[in-house]
Amino acid sequence: MLTDPRFDLQKAIVQLLKNSGPVAALVGDRIYDRVPRNNAGTITAKFPFVGLGETQLLPELGEETNAAETTLTLHAWSQEVGFPEVLRIASAVASAVHDADLPIENCGVQSVLLSTSRVLRDPDGITSHAVLTFSILTDANAH
């Protein structure tokens, strides 16, 4: 039977980031599953902030095996001139999440590794955007 840890992983990572002093110093409690927007789709959240992004589950199932690799993406956003602020946020997020001990229900977390981190300018020409992708290995039998 497939155990899908994505929701529990998201909850644990949001809590981890909100409890991280370095992350909180940069974004406060502005860590969103769904970034606030108005009816026109324009972001109304105060910058800077961190948002949960895409997830992908790659299950490894077999006889007495119920493991998975989850790829989870976090996005950091800043409107400070240049890249310094978003780079500081990306560094704080990476330090908090990489190799973190994530207590989740129904699964044992085997590893949490930063896979990629990239920074780019948003098409609006103002906003800086960091994209951090983590690879998380879980095993429901190691719970």
Side-chain angles (χ1 to χ4, degrees):
M1 179 174 142
L2 172 63
T3 300
D4 186 341
R6 289 179 289 184
F7 178 68
D8 290 333
L9 287 169
Q10 285 184 350
K11 285 191 321 186
I13 287 173
V14 167
Q15 194 60 53
L16 176 76
L17 293 174
K18 287 185 176 186
N19 291 338
S20 167
V23 174
L26 294 164
V27 301
D29 65 351
R30 294 182 305 278
I31 299 166
Y32 301 108
D33 177 4
R34 183 174 175 184
V35 176
R37 297 177 184 270
N38 63 20
N39 289 338
T42 304
I43 292 173
T44 58
K46 180 182 173 193
F47 285 86
F49 62 86
V50 173
L52 292 173
E54 308 76 19
T55 64
Q56 179 180 9
L57 182 72
L58 301 170
E60 184 173 321
L61 300 172
E63 191 172 318
E64 301 199 27
T65 301
N66 187 356
E69 177 181 1
T70 299
T71 302
L72 184 135
T73 304
L74 298 172
H75 298 267
W77 302 87
S78 168
Q79 288 191 327
E80 185 177 275
V81 175
F83 289 120
E85 183 176 58
V86 81
L87 286 168
R88 287 191 300 273
I89 297 166
S91 178
V93 168
S95 293
V97 177
H98 178 81
D99 211 22
D101 180 20
L102 296 177
I104 64 169
E105 294 182 31
N106 304 319
C107 278
V109 176
Q110 306 301 309
S111 67
V112 181
L113 302 174
L114 177 66
S115 298
T116 63
S117 177
R118 59 190 175 112
V119 175
L120 51 139
R121 182 85 57 226
D122 201 55
D124 68 7
I126 299 167
T127 309
S128 299
H129 180 190
V131 182
L132 296 97
T133 304
F134 294 88
S135 176
I136 305 167
L137 299 178
T138 56
D139 186 349
N141 294 329
H143 177 64

